[in-house]
Amino acid sequence: PYDNDNNGYRITAAYAKAISDSTSLGYSFAYFNDDYSNNLTQQEMTNGFRNTIGIVTKASDVLTLGASAFWGFGNRDISVEGVD
């Protein structure tokens, strides 16, 4: 019902390292050059970069916990139909 259209590409590289038998740290870097539109919004990201870090730990045999954070920058343009 929204008539979605995706164009462009994203490139991502990631690395993770175990720091103990139950804990791992990870990092990823992504490059964005794409646009997405539907009948409500149009979003464009040219030369966008996103960094992500994360940690995962096995708390017990049945429970694994993790957290991640990301930050990024780039040329982002978002338009919403009917909003100036």
Side-chain angles (χ1 to χ4, degrees):
Y2 293 109
D3 194 23
N4 297 321
D5 185 24
N6 286 317
N7 294 303
Y9 58 92
R10 297 176 180 188
I11 300 170
T12 302
Y15 179 76
K17 173 108 174 114
I19 58 172
S20 73
D21 289 341
S22 61
T23 304
S24 296
L25 291 174
Y27 171 78
S28 73
F29 175 81
Y31 172 77
F32 293 79
N33 190 2
D34 61 6
D35 66 64
Y36 166 79
S37 62
N38 60 33
N39 57 351
L40 298 175
T41 65
Q42 182 169 344
Q43 303 177 39
E44 184 177 349
M45 172 65 86
T46 56
N47 292 323
F49 301 91
R50 181 167 59 194
N51 299 274
T52 305
I53 57 170
I55 187 167
V56 175
T57 187
K58 186 174 180 181
S60 70
D61 288 339
V62 296
L63 180 63
T64 301
L65 301 172
S68 66
F70 71 89
W71 67 98
F73 55 92
N75 264 344
R76 183 132 179 114
D77 184 22
I78 301 173
S79 301
V80 177
E81 188 68 31
V83 177
D84 292 328

